[in-house]
Amino acid sequence: MSTPRSSSTSSPPQIPQSLTLAPARTASTSSSSSASGMRDAAEDDFDSPPSQMSEDDPGGGVGDRWEPDLRGGNGGARWAPPDQVLENVLESVLEFLTAARDRNAASLVCRSWYRAEAQTRRELFIGNCYAVSPRRAVERFSRVRAVVLKGKPRFADFSLVPYGWGAYVSPWLAALGPAYPRLERISLKRMTVTDEDLALIAKSFPLFKELSLVCCDGFSTLGLAVVAERCRHLRVLDLIEDYLEDEEDEMVDWISKFPESNTSLESLLFDCVTVPFNFHALEALVARSPALRQLRVNHHVSVEQLRRLMARAPQLTHLGTGAFRSEAGPDGALSVSDLATSFAASRSLTCLSGFREVNSEYLPAIYPVCAKLTSLNFSFASLTSEELKPVIRNCVNLRTFWVLDTVGDEGLRAVAETCSDLRELRVFPLDATEDSEGSVSDVGLQAISEGCPKLESILYFCQRMTNAAVVAMSKNCPDLVVFRLCIMGRHRPDRITGEPMDDGFGAIVMNCKKLTRLSVSGLLTDKAFAYIGKYGKLIKTLSVAFAGNSDMSLQYVFEGCTKLQKLEVRDSPFGDKGLLSGLDYFYNMRFLWMNSCRLTMRGCREVAQQMQNLVVEVIKDHSDDEGESETVDKLYLYRSLEGPRNDAPPFVNIL
């Protein structure tokens, strides 16, 4: 895992799997592919391939090849050393190599391939911002046009990572600015981003086009105003589940900062921005953005205002509706029929979300577009099955459906009867506490498996489940790639037989041959994990909650799941023995997270001593705890080419 040395006999350096190339994106009208290629023709500095080429030919003298100058240089020809000819040809070939796995494999062939792959990489994916230093990344990759960067562990989404843990984007931006003046896209996930960071983005990249912030925190509308005002080529501004640090008396009118001329905006998502904004400025912005395809507004937008936006942008394909309730003016509330007319005029709509403070009386207004919808998100709408069923029965082409568990088993039956082409289902809990009742169960899960045989991904929160329902899903939906069953109560058995849920999860890993992501919960014994280790050969991400009965569970997983990249464990009876059983496998993983288990400092120190290139972080539950406890609250273990980070807060002990 070292940088390449000057000696020609040294082997190519190891590449951390958290440093990969995201697949290239093809051009289309959607904003998600607006940065296609990330390639500037002016930099394609290669020539016609020679008839013979060998990396082993000596340079100079008889080893030189005559090469025509196709760019009209003086004399019409020039001499090029054979190694340079080979690398030019190789770079032109690698331009067409898009798969991350293929890219990484190519870079390990030999030193010249390593250099050529780095020169042709346009999109850089860093799966852990602490796995490699910004300096190392920019030194290796010199022509990057897009950067994707991830920070905090995923359990930060459940408030299990203390505030102030880290994942600051500032050091990365300080390095990216001088290295990539032509950078066009930045995507950040679970990073801490300040207003100063956003100002630096706007200042450093004059051709900047896309900014996506997912589950980020630390910034406010002041930073958004700077981006809107200074990034004159901006096409995408996506704010998804971010936490903005705005007080209503400090907020800035950021919407009005966009250029007053026609904009290049293709996507504007800000439904997570909780503070009010200037609606008139938004309406004018939408009107002068003819390329706008995706728009998601926050809960301060009423149906009356939504109708005005839709009239300005009939070309929208993705719409986030805001509150979906009325704010009656002098002329009274908007009628359902008038709103339905607006939806009928939006003939391009395929994805619908929002409904944050929904008035169910307005739901019939979306009927005109239901038949064309491929994605529907009701995950913020507390609607009953009786309110949802009329909508669902109109959505015959739905492929993605997100909903709260208030849909009930009856609502899921309606989904199964109507949406035979469904590929992704997520059922979130209205009340995520362990002792909540919950409105969905094994009945709804089995109905989905029988009616939606093409299902590829499911996230299902519930309180009651049976092995029979899970087995049925494994047989009826063999194409499952993602199966995340979250039984919220601790150690819940099969609700009918009282048996552990071992056979159900065993059937999933046995029958679903494409499975790469699995979440398990409920009453599970070592038997379930033996199944997972034996049959889950493609599993890359495994999440475990309230499960297992001995350290053998972890040993089965480490020894059997040979492609495992991410392992997340919470509230399970695994101790030092289980942790140490992974010593031979940690280098092949991106990270291990364990909290509320039975780990001790002794076991964690042993891992740190034996695995010198791993970073072992012990995180305290409370930052004001003094001294070192023998028990471990949280363990975060990950690979890094740089060793321990230098920005760890006091409640993080790096062993």
Side-chain angles (χ1 to χ4, degrees), residues 328-332:
D331 299 328

Side-chain angles (χ1 to χ4, degrees), residues 534-554:
K534 184 176 181 180
Y535 298 103
K537 298 304 181 182
L538 297 183
I539 292 177
K540 296 181 180 180
T541 302
L542 176 62
S543 301
V544 181
F546 316 118
N549 60 348
S550 82
D551 288 320
M552 282 302 299
S553 295
L554 285 186

Side-chain angles (χ1 to χ4, degrees), residues 298-303 306 321-327 336 339 343 352-366 376-384 387-388 391 403-404 406 430:
N298 67 14
H299 68 283
H300 292 284
V301 174
S302 65
V303 290
L306 179 66
T321 65
F324 215 68
R325 51 160 172 71
S326 174
E327 288 184 358
V336 175
L339 185 59
F343 273 99
L352 203 54
S353 62
F355 307 99
R356 290 182 171 253
E357 297 174 7
V358 61
N359 179 347
S360 60
E361 293 180 1
Y362 283 101
L363 286 178
I366 70 173
L376 180 59
N377 184 347
F378 277 135
S379 61
F380 290 98
S382 179
L383 298 168
T384 67
E387 293 168 329
L388 285 169
V391 177
V403 68
L404 287 176
T406 54
L430 178 65

